[in-house]
Amino acid sequence: MTTTPKARCGVSITGIGSFLPPSSISNAQLETLVDTNDEWIVSRTGIKNRRVVSGNDTVADLAIAAAKDALACAGIEGKQVDLVIVTTSTADTIYPMVCALVQEAIGATSAAGFDLALACTGFVYGLVTAQQFIENGRYQTVLVVSADIHSRETDWSDRNTCVLFGDGAGACVLQANTTGQSDIVASDLRVDGSRGQFLTLGTLTQNCPLVAPRTNQNPYVQMNGREVFKFAVGSVPKSIQVTLDKASVTLDDVDFVVLHQANSRIMQAMAEKMGLPEAKLIIRFENYGNTSAASIPIALNDAVKDGQIQAGQRLMLCGYGAGLAWATALVNWHVVDHRSH
Ligand SMILES: CC(C)(COP(=O)(O)OP(=O)(O)OC[C@H]1O[C@@H](n2cnc3c(N)ncnc32)[C@H](O)[C@@H]1OP(=O)(O)O)[C@@H](O)C(=O)NCCC(=O)NCCS
């Protein structure tokens, strides 16, 4: 007996949102913590301020606020969401998972959920994962939330890292459509553990006291900045080309490239390598720092709110970072913003 294959569902990106904690730390304030200065930080990174959590704020708090913003943008209620994917590498608790806390807070009473830990590449992985579940007909409405709090994972006496990061969350709603067309046109997902040692974040977990203790643990972000720089500039342009080739388009057909917002030098070097005019880059990190998994949706949301990104445009999204991991997705942007600004 032959069966007719079921037509794949189309996928629409219908909402974008973000949330940043209110406390802002300037470069001048960092001068009171480490031997650094505004000129060094701005010339190497372009970062002037970064947002950080205070008190008992959690990754889930940021994620929930961003999720609600994205739902409002899509004009839907939380109870319509049937899958919650949270991408974070800095969850306050391993369990309950952050996805469960978001699910409860938005009232997604019949949703499934899981957390993905992919550091700064998490949002693009989350988006492509959501796409699979919608295309195969399993879920209709998927919420992808990316949130990270690096201010609690940073050694504030290490000037190599503490000036770079900030905290924040971004979110995106994806929904099934009947056209069979996907707003995520093509993608490329990669991971390479052979270079994992260049960017690490450990833990302070300890063995059973009846056996030898664990040693040499470092609970903070440690980075070989030059190697990470070389990796990103070497790998991301190639991944963008792979994705363009899959979609049979060129960079000229792309309106904006939204790179993970790590810093200005790294983004400029990538743009130069690709022959991409800087005007085609979305740049939104000056006052946020590197917000890890959240940086792409935060940049997207800001650019949607101020009109730089508009419906009908074609965007290339590129995450890269610890793992090492990197991921690229070509996206047709059709979001109609239902929020009142
Ligand atoms: C981190 C980074 C900005 C450093 O820039 P760089 O051009 O490699 O640094 P330079 O070689 O110009 O300077 C290094 C020197 O500055 C010093 N330095 C490092 N951080 C400093 C700071 N915050 N303030 C002042 N000096 C600093 C170093 O100690 C070193 O001093 P030394 O030469 O006496 O040893 C750059 O390597 C980078 O962007 N890497 C990628 C980082 C990143 O984005 N990671 C996250 C990806 S998800």
Side-chain angles (χ1 to χ4, degrees):
M1 192 180 83
T2 54
T3 51
T4 317
K6 224 174 122 191
R8 282 172 26 131
C9 288
V11 181
S12 299
I13 298 175
T14 57
I16 186 80
S18 66
F19 179 77
L20 289 138
S23 302
S24 182
I25 306 288
S26 68
N27 291 346
Q29 287 174 287
L30 288 182
E31 289 175 25
T32 66
L33 291 181
V34 287
D35 179 16
T36 191
N37 57 75
D38 182 61
E39 194 280 326
W40 193 99
I41 301 172
V42 172
S43 66
R44 301 312 196 286
T45 73
I47 297 166
K48 294 184 177 162
N49 301 287
R50 66 283 297 141
R51 300 288 193 88
V52 295
V53 292
S54 67
N56 296 324
D57 290 344
T58 64
V59 165
D61 292 334
L62 306 188
I64 289 163
K68 288 181 176 171
D69 193 30
L71 292 170
C73 178
I76 65 165
E77 291 184 45
K79 64 181 177 208
Q80 287 174 253
V81 172
D82 44 23
L83 175 64
V84 179
I85 301 173
V86 172
T87 83
T88 181
S89 300
T90 55
D92 300 86
T93 55
I94 305 301
Y95 43 85
M97 297 75 70
V98 182
C99 67
L101 302 173
V102 172
Q103 170 276 326
E104 206 266 330
I106 64 169
T109 43
S110 25
F114 53 85
D115 290 0
L116 280 179
L118 273 143
C120 304
T121 316
F123 180 70
V124 179
Y125 262 83
L127 215 55
V128 176
T129 305
Q131 175 193 12
Q132 312 310 309
F133 278 112
I134 295 175
E135 281 185 347
N136 70 20
R138 184 70 191 256
Y139 297 114
Q140 296 286 303
T141 301
V142 183
L143 177 68
V144 176
V145 195
S146 297
D148 270 310
I149 295 180
H150 265 89
S151 65
R152 292 196 184 118
E153 315 290 348
T154 306
D155 176 356
W156 288 99
S157 65
D158 175 11
R159 67 179 184 173
N160 290 297
T161 52
C162 76
V163 303
L164 299 175
F165 295 98
D167 305 335
C172 185
V173 178
L174 297 95
Q175 294 185 273
N177 70 48
T178 51
T179 67
Q181 302 295 311
S182 176
D183 284 349
I184 302 164
V185 181
S187 58
D188 180 48
L189 308 181
R190 299 290 303 274
V191 67
D192 174 12
S194 72
R195 292 180 284 177
Q197 75 276 14
F198 295 140
L199 185 47
T200 60
L201 172 57
T203 63
L204 275 183
T205 55
Q206 197 41 271
N207 290 346
C208 164
L210 301 176
V211 299
R214 291 182 78 186
T215 54
N216 299 329
Q217 291 183 84
N218 186 319
Y220 297 116
V221 173
Q222 290 191 298
M223 183 178 66
N224 181 330
R226 290 213 176 150
E227 288 297 338
V228 173
F229 194 102
K230 274 196 279 179
F231 140 71
V233 177
S235 303
V236 172
K238 280 188 205 151
S239 179
I240 288 177
Q241 192 56 52
V242 167
T243 301
L244 291 169
D245 291 345
K246 283 183 185 173
S248 302
V249 296
T250 72
L251 215 40
D252 290 340
D253 303 313
V254 173
D255 294 288
F256 289 108
V257 175
V258 191
L259 298 169
H260 163 51
Q261 309 279 299
N263 67 57
S264 53
R265 273 235 205 125
I266 219 167
M267 290 163 79
Q268 279 158 5
M270 284 181 201
E272 211 169 285
K273 189 152 183 192
M274 293 183 283
L276 182 77
E278 226 178 289
K280 277 199 172 190
L281 286 179
I282 297 291
I283 298 176
R284 293 291 190 290
F285 61 82
E286 187 182 271
N287 292 310
Y288 305 149
N290 174 347
T291 52
S292 196
S295 89
I296 293 175
I298 288 172
L300 281 172
N301 193 34
D302 272 17
V304 163
K305 286 199 287 191
D306 66 24
Q308 190 180 9
I309 290 178
Q310 291 170 5
Q313 290 174 338
R314 192 181 270 157
L315 312 176
M316 181 67 82
L317 314 183
C318 317
Y320 55 88
L324 299 174
W326 61 109
T328 306
L330 182 67
V331 161
N332 286 332
W333 192 260
H334 296 301
V335 171
V336 176
D337 194 346
H338 290 80
R339 295 168 295 191
S340 49
H341 294 296

